[in-house]
Amino acid sequence: MSKQRGTHVNTTAAEQPSVVVIGAGPVGLAAAVHLLERGLRPLVLEAGPAAGASVREWSHVRLFSSWAELVDPAAEKLLAPTGWARPDGAAYPSGGDWAELYLQPLADALGEHVRYGATVTGVARAGRDRVVDAGREGQPFTVHVRTADGREERLTARAVLDASGTWTTPGPLGGDGLPALGERGAADRISYRVPDLRDPAVRARYAGKRTAVVGSGASAFTALAALADLAEGEPGTHASWILRRGISGSTFGGGEADQLPERGALGLRAKAAVERGHAAAVTGFRTEAVERTPDGRLVLVGEDGRRLDPVDEAIVLTGFRPELSFLSEIRLGLDERLQAPARLAPLIDPNVHSCGTVYPHGVRELSHPERDFHLVGMKSYGRAPTFLAMTGYEQVRSVAAALAGDHEAAERVELTLPETGVCGGAGLFDEPEAAQTTEAGGCCAAPATVQLGAPAAPGGC
């Protein structure tokens, strides 16, 4: 690499990758493998110090996908000569297991194709801002990078795959998608992550306290179950579960009907937490403001004027959204609701999406007006919550084939996902009973009642 004095560094033409992949998570690394198989030269840029940096931040959470669903087949072929042993396909790893036993070995096998401490700050067409049409598609992409030591660098590439995920941009507490009034000022008592109660400092933060858990997905279930376990040994520990919708037969997921058994078991644990009195549900509540009591506790105020009892802490688990600011010069074709690629959005829209069934999709659905630029992985789903790793692996297989000119393989997309056993639908929260009918968007006949004897899952994500 040729270096200049000052902050700006450029690589020589011979050092330039043919494809830049943003993010060394599971899908970004799988993309690199598929690109290499196609004879392309990828470079994965990871802002963190190791592979799966975001995954490591929820290392204590167990996935509800098994190892069989978490290892990309092409990646396994690359790993085989290194002596890597695939974990038991029927076992369910934690985030830490996934990072240490699969993602890091895969990144190590990719060697020089992965760089750490490299934060992408901008992507554009070389010499063309987003307004300019003339000669646009003939120009390579230019990728601006800030290194861990503060230097700036500019790379060029024929194509860019953004697999940076959504972990760094969690949804806020406010029911309108914006931070509630007072939310930022209460940051010392609000967390946007599932707490790791194995950490003594974290455990002390919630032990014997009243905590508001805001959200209705798997992360909220995980937090409720963890706090319920804590309450068994720490008197006074209690959760207020804040739901923007009502409670219906599908509130706790698919239970024993869920084709991802660990996800179903997780919902059962959350239901048990409520039934044992460790959590109390507050339904139809959309937070408008957060107020502080004289002793520093938090009072959540709803859009309808309701004021909840004070809590010591709040855990906000309202989903994630894509970070798009560094793509401001790229012509993206995004759905106005989900911020997902416009062709993909109808297939995953939680307002109407039924039971986790995702139609086969690949490069066609992931394309944008900016040719050879793709959002892949969790980021391709925008604000939709139904992404599974195997979806991303199929995405990058298709995209890599298209970039290599094998359009037949790119179009030959096959994807079969387990059904959730529950009707999705953030758009149904005003009509909880409608979520149980096929007219409201389809249903997989989740049972109206669920048995509590199912094995407890340690968590899910």
Side-chain angles (χ1 to χ4, degrees):
M1 180 181 296
S2 60
K3 298 182 180 180
Q4 302 174 358
R5 298 185 66 85
T7 61
H8 297 282
V9 180
N10 293 290
T11 56
T12 65
E15 295 172 319
Q16 298 294 330
S18 56
V19 183
V20 163
V21 179
I22 306 172
V27 176
L29 294 174
V33 174
H34 285 279
L35 291 164
L36 279 171
E37 278 195 339
R38 292 287 182 172
L40 300 171
R41 190 171 67 258
L43 177 62
V44 181
L45 300 175
E46 169 56 50
S54 292
V55 174
R56 293 171 190 272
E57 292 192 22
W58 47 270
S59 61
H60 58 292
V61 177
R62 183 164 297 183
L63 289 94
F64 45 62
S65 293
S66 68
W67 273 114
E69 299 160 329
L70 295 171
V71 175
D72 176 72
E76 185 170 6
K77 286 170 53 181
L78 180 68
L79 283 166
T82 70
W84 179 78
R86 177 175 180 161
D88 178 5
Y92 294 84
S94 67
D97 295 334
W98 200 17
E100 289 297 332
L101 301 180
Y102 171 62
L103 300 179
Q104 193 61 57
L106 180 56
D108 293 343
L110 286 166
E112 64 182 8
H113 295 288
V114 180
R115 284 179 50 188
Y116 303 112
T119 301
V120 174
T121 59
V123 182
R125 287 286 185 181
R128 306 288 190 277
D129 64 27
R130 68 181 297 154
V131 176
V132 178
D133 289 332
R136 186 176 191 85
E137 289 195 358
Q139 293 296 102
F141 289 98
T142 178
V143 180
H144 289 226
V145 179
R146 185 179 65 250
T147 63
D149 60 5
R151 292 180 300 111
E152 290 182 303
E153 180 178 347
R154 184 171 59 245
L155 303 170
T156 59
R158 171 200 156 190
V160 175
L161 276 59
D162 183 355
S164 59
T166 58
W167 176 254
T168 59
T169 48
L173 175 58
D176 56 7
L178 299 174
L181 299 179
E183 180 175 348
R184 293 186 179 93
D188 60 317
R189 292 188 179 237
I190 299 177
S191 170
Y192 299 88
R193 304 287 188 254
V194 174
D196 183 0
L197 298 180
R198 302 171 305 177
D199 183 327
V202 176
R203 187 179 182 88
R205 178 173 178 176
Y206 298 101
K209 307 288 181 62
R210 297 185 65 85
T211 300
V213 177
V214 185
S216 60
S219 293
F221 290 169
T222 304
L224 288 169
L227 290 171
D229 289 345
L230 181 62
E232 296 287 351
E234 296 285 352
T237 304
H238 190 268
S240 294
W241 184 22
I242 315 301
L243 292 141
R244 294 172 180 171
R245 65 182 79 183
I247 289 182
S248 71
S250 64
T251 295
F252 296 97
E256 294 174 347
D258 198 316
Q259 291 191 23
L260 290 175
E262 294 298 297
R263 180 172 52 193
L266 179 60
L268 297 179
R269 290 188 68 205
K271 187 173 190 292
V274 174
E275 293 182 344
R276 295 202 309 268
H278 296 315
V282 179
T283 60
F285 189 91
R286 302 172 215 167
T287 307
E288 182 176 81
V290 182
E291 298 179 356
R292 303 292 289 254
T293 64
D295 61 0
R297 292 188 294 167
L298 308 181
V299 174
L300 304 188
V301 182
E303 294 177 349
D304 57 4
R306 278 188 290 169
R307 300 170 63 85
L308 303 186
D309 292 337
V311 295
D312 300 287
E313 300 284 342
I315 301 173
V316 179
L317 301 167
T318 55
F320 296 86
R321 53 189 60 178
E323 168 55 56
L324 301 170
S325 61
F326 65 90
L327 304 178
S328 61
E329 298 307 313
I330 293 294
R331 295 177 176 180
L332 298 175
L334 298 178
D335 178 76
E336 65 274 11
R337 292 167 298 173
L338 297 186
Q339 295 178 294
R343 291 181 179 177
L344 176 61
L347 309 182
I348 61 174
D349 186 351
N351 288 289
V352 296
H353 184 45
S354 172
C355 310
T357 302
V358 177
Y359 292 96
H361 70 276
V363 67
R364 181 187 297 273
E365 291 80 10
L366 297 171
S367 295
H368 294 274
E370 200 76 77
R371 182 178 175 182
D372 292 338
F373 178 91
H374 301 283
L375 302 176
V376 295
M378 185 68 237
K379 193 163 186 177
S380 72
Y381 271 44
R383 300 191 183 199
T386 50
F387 181 81
L388 295 174
M390 65 182 88
T391 305
Y393 298 155
E394 181 64 9
Q395 287 178 344
V396 295
R397 184 206 62 78
S398 175
V399 170
L403 291 175
D406 188 346
H407 300 292
E408 180 183 357
E411 294 291 335
R412 192 176 62 249
V413 180
E414 297 180 3
L415 179 63
T416 302
L417 294 180
E419 294 179 342
T420 68
V422 24
C423 300
L428 300 176
F429 63 74
D430 286 318
E431 302 176 83
E433 296 306 318
Q436 300 179 53
T437 67
T438 54
E439 289 81 8
C443 189
C444 293
T449 59
V450 288
Q451 300 299 313
L452 295 180
C461 181

